[in-house]
Amino acid sequence: KTHTPTFISWAAMRQRCNNPSNPAYALYGGRGIVIDPRWDTFTQFLADMGERPSAGHSLERINNNGPYSSENCCWAESIVQANNTRRNRFIEFNGKRQTLQQWARETGVLRNTLWMRLFRHGWSIEKALSTS
């Protein structure tokens, strides 16, 4: 199974968290992201997570500051993962909290247009989201 997409995802996770020479180490292991010791073996990782569902899925930490563990990980598509990054800005309107990109998809207004309206021109959230 060492050449399967699931094994490659597991190995890449371990590199990001455990290898200071890895280019992504500063964003993972370097900032304290750890791996559950149960996942030291691929067999246990596979038992907990199952096979990677498709080429469009990758390993996602639900709590972006939490560990890689069965309780905090799932297989997710890139569009889902894009909404779970530290650099996202969340906008709350009418009791609904979403990223700027999610609001853009929902309203049909370009993300950059929403950003300009809110953060450059100082529009209210209601006006920014409801103006076509």
Side-chain angles (χ1 to χ4, degrees):
K1 291 216 175 224
T2 59
H3 297 291
T4 66
T6 306
F7 183 89
I8 292 166
S9 292
W10 173 78
M13 167 195 67
R14 296 185 55 74
Q15 284 293 309
R16 289 189 300 271
C17 292
N18 298 332
N19 181 359
S21 299
N22 185 284
Y25 179 80
L27 300 172
Y28 293 87
R31 69 178 190 93
I33 303 302
V34 298
I35 303 169
D36 184 328
R38 290 171 24 93
W39 285 4
D40 283 347
T41 66
F42 175 68
T43 305
Q44 188 58 55
F45 172 81
L46 182 61
D48 289 346
M49 294 300 298
E51 293 287 351
R52 190 172 109 183
S54 76
H57 286 78
S58 60
L59 194 57
E60 161 87 343
R61 280 175 297 118
I62 298 162
N63 171 354
N64 199 34
N65 294 312
Y68 281 101
S69 67
S70 60
E71 299 82 20
N72 193 43
C73 289
C74 64
W75 294 111
E77 293 180 296
S78 60
I79 195 164
V80 172
Q81 287 198 354
N83 292 314
N84 187 23
T85 69
R86 290 179 292 145
R87 64 181 190 271
N88 271 340
R89 281 197 150 151
F90 287 89
I91 308 296
E92 190 163 334
F93 180 65
N94 284 343
K96 193 173 187 179
R97 184 178 184 265
Q98 299 189 114
T99 64
L100 212 49
Q101 185 61 46
Q102 289 172 313
W103 283 115
R105 276 195 297 277
E106 185 172 310
T107 63
V109 178
L110 294 174
R111 182 210 168 277
N112 289 343
T113 300
L114 288 176
W115 188 91
M116 293 287 283
R117 289 174 177 178
L118 291 166
F119 305 113
R120 171 128 338 140
H121 302 302
W123 287 22
S124 71
I125 293 171
E126 182 175 11
K127 181 179 178 185
L129 294 176
S130 62
T131 304
S132 56

